[in-house]
Amino acid sequence: MSTSDLIKLGIEAILIQNVILTQFLGICPFMGVSKKSQSAIGMGLAVIFVMVISSGVTFVINDLILQPNKITYLQTIVFILVISGVVQFVEMFIKKTAPFIYKTLGIYLPLITTNCAILGIALINVQPEKEFGYAEMFVYTIGISIGFTLVIYIFSTIRERLENANVPKAFKGTPIALITAGIMSIIFLGFAGLV
Amino acid sequence: MTKKQNFLKGIFSENPVFVLILGMCPVLGVTSTLFGALGMGVAFTLVLVLSNIIVSMIKNFIPNEVRIPSFIVVIATLVTIVQLTMQAYLPDLYNQLGIFIPLIVVNCVILGRAEAFASKNNILDSTIDGLGMGIGYTIAIAMLAFIRELFGAGTLTLFMYGDVNIKFNLIPNNAFEPISILILAPGAFITLGLLLGVINAIKFNIENKKSVGRS
């Protein structure tokens, strides 16, 4: 794949195939950790970090161990174990080497194991019809995780304002947040013709 | 808690979708047809009931420190079994649900029930709890899919396998244009938001009536 194709793939991953608004992955952190923009950024950065590392590791395992031995049906089990191991390892590693990063990301890391976007993207990367090589995989994963951070940050700034808005009692909290996400999703549909 | 209360709590007072707001990814992702939602509901209930049974059986042998990883292995094994069975016997459903079948592994409802209920209760109670939660989840996503497919496409798909295709066309001769945004991605968010709002409104109404009756 040429460089311009890779750039196209990256833009597609950020805007057109946005992980939250069009693929519906990672909805739990999207609704749960978006009440303050500070925590949304923390969650977004943690997702970028973990998603790139865990997708890389699972891709290599799939390429070198599962595929040659024809045991790709074990993907789900192997990937979820690898991801929870990677999350634990990343947590211990940055606690030791970069306490500053740990302070901002630390509390979000354990939450990430059950973030379906991480397992979802790891599984999408190895789908045979995608035909991803290492370069495409990295560009796609980075694009998807940037898209996640972008959307969760925009959404959190809207929600901060929604706190003070005069919303009917029954719609306070999650219902109005979901409708807001729906309107954001309409906006992101508009990017469909971009690439 | 009686067995009946244990069963009904998953459907009403602790409904995983409408009350606990857990496991939202498939709720939004597979509800563009009724068939997809029902298939997802059955697969989800199967995994939940079996994982509750197995976890309540092995709870005494597992050291406390490694219980979460062990539960995840149990759940992932069950999901793989369901996935391969579905791929073999219901390929249409498998293609429609796609990535959301393996993602049952990271559905917080299943791990949550294993940790909060099955690891503390006996096999019978855990089975009833799993059944109640699973049926509550299925009813919720079927409701969402019913609204989305009916108003978004004007059809209701009940079953699809090879040539057998049970599909009701509910708009005679294109009497009106369906609201196609509802079966697209934004429709999932908006329909669920409106549905939750309506349920809240009904709940507040009942609570108001109760408090008026009491005073």
Side-chain angles (χ1 to χ4, degrees), chain A residues 104-159:
Chain A
T104 39
L105 303 187
I107 48 166
Y108 305 109
L109 285 172
L111 290 176
I112 281 184
T113 317
T114 52
N115 182 342
C116 51
I118 307 286
L119 180 65
I121 296 302
L123 285 167
I124 286 174
N125 279 335
V126 299
Q127 273 173 355
E129 61 264 28
K130 285 267 181 196
E131 295 176 348
F132 275 177
Y134 283 87
E136 288 96 330
M137 187 272 293
F138 268 111
V139 170
Y140 186 76
T141 311
I142 291 169
I144 285 283
S145 52
I146 291 174
F148 181 92
T149 313
L150 180 74
V151 168
I152 198 170
Y153 175 66
I154 297 173
F155 188 60
S156 68
T157 55
I158 298 175
R159 269 189 100 165

Side-chain angles (χ1 to χ4, degrees), chain A residues 20-21 23-28 73 76-77 80-81 114 116 120 123-124 169-171 174-175 178-179 181-182 185-186 189, chain B residues 21 24-25 28-29 72-73 76-77 80 83 99-100 102-103 105-106 108 185-186 188-190 192-194 196-197 200-201 204:
Chain A
I20 297 173
L21 295 177
Q23 302 198 39
F24 304 121
L25 300 175
I27 305 286
C28 294
Y73 58 86
T76 315
I77 302 177
I80 187 70
L81 289 177
T114 52
C116 51
L123 285 167
I124 286 174
K169 192 181 158 208
F171 279 86
T174 319
L178 277 165
I179 293 170
S185 181
I186 295 178
L189 268 190
Chain B
I21 316 195
M24 296 312 272
C25 303
L28 298 167
I72 290 180
V73 174
T77 312
T80 309
Q83 183 183 1
I99 189 85
F100 289 104
L103 286 184
V105 180
V106 280
C108 351
F189 288 105
I190 294 174
L192 184 61
L194 292 175
L196 280 178
N200 276 345
F204 291 145

Side-chain angles (χ1 to χ4, degrees), chain B residues 43-96:
Chain B
F44 178 87
T45 310
L46 210 64
V47 173
L48 182 54
V49 170
L50 291 176
S51 87
N52 264 3
I53 291 174
I54 293 177
V55 165
S56 73
M57 268 174 2
I58 60 175
K59 61 176 187 280
N60 296 330
F61 310 114
I62 292 184
N64 207 26
E65 297 79 31
V66 293
R67 67 180 192 289
I68 302 269
S70 341
F71 295 166
I72 290 180
V73 174
V74 169
I75 297 168
T77 312
L78 292 168
V79 168
T80 309
I81 294 171
V82 168
Q83 183 183 1
L84 293 175
T85 315
M86 191 182 282
Q87 196 173 8
Y89 293 106
L90 289 166
D92 290 325
L93 182 61
Y94 179 79
N95 289 336
Q96 200 181 342

Side-chain angles (χ1 to χ4, degrees), chain B residues 136-156:
Chain B
Y137 192 85
T138 311
I139 291 175
I141 61 174
M143 238 161 102
L144 190 60
F146 181 82
I147 297 173
R148 281 183 72 194
E149 202 189 350
L150 183 63
F151 293 107
T155 56
L156 284 177

